[in-house]
């Protein structure tokens, strides 16, 4: 019973953190130099684990900065990664039927 409660609490906590992350990816806030785009350095303030390769994959027009639409894709992809992580954790915690 305690494992089930812990698993449910973990899922809720991770879901909330994914929503909070999406809020942290506010374009105007991240565009610290007000250049009209978010650079890798600016994005790493909110998402320190983003690599150059990740950034390049989101920079669809290869401009070196993310537009508002490209940043929205990052927020969606990161939220999706959180959801996949949560699903994987739940599967690992699930009891095996015999």
């Amino acid at each position: 019973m305690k494992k089930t409660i812990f698993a449910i609490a973990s899922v809720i906590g991770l879901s909330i953190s994914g929503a909070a992350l999406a809020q942290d990816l506010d374009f105007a806030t991240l565009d610290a130099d007000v250049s009209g785009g978010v650079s890798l350095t600016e994005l790493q303030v909110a998402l320190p684990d983003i690599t150059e390769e990740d950034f390049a994959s989101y920079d669809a027009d290869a401009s070196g900065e993310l537009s508002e639409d490209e940043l929205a894709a990052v927020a969606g992809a990161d939220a999706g990664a959180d959801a996949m992580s949560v699903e994987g954790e739940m599967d690992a915690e699930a009891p095996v039927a015999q």
Side-chain angles (χ1 to χ4, degrees), residues 23-73:
Q23 291 174 348
D24 289 343
L25 294 181
D26 175 61
F27 185 83
T29 303
L30 289 177
D31 185 17
D33 62 2
V34 194
S35 65
V38 175
S39 69
L40 172 61
T41 304
E42 290 170 326
L43 185 59
Q44 286 175 328
V45 169
L47 301 173
D49 294 336
I50 292 288
T51 65
E52 288 183 37
E53 293 80 20
D54 294 332
F55 185 85
S57 72
Y58 294 123
D59 185 12
D61 61 2
S63 66
E65 293 188 322
L66 301 183
S67 66
E68 288 190 61
D69 289 340
E70 291 168 335
L71 184 63

Side-chain angles (χ1 to χ4, degrees), residues 2 5 9 11 14-15 17 19 23 25 29 33 38 42-43 49 51 56 59-60 73-75 78 80-82 84 87:
K2 288 181 182 181
I5 293 170
V11 169
L14 289 172
S15 297
S17 67
Q23 291 174 348
L25 294 181
T29 303
D33 62 2
V38 175
E42 290 170 326
L43 185 59
D49 294 336
T51 65
D59 185 12
V74 173
D78 199 64
D82 284 347
M84 288 187 291
E87 289 172 9

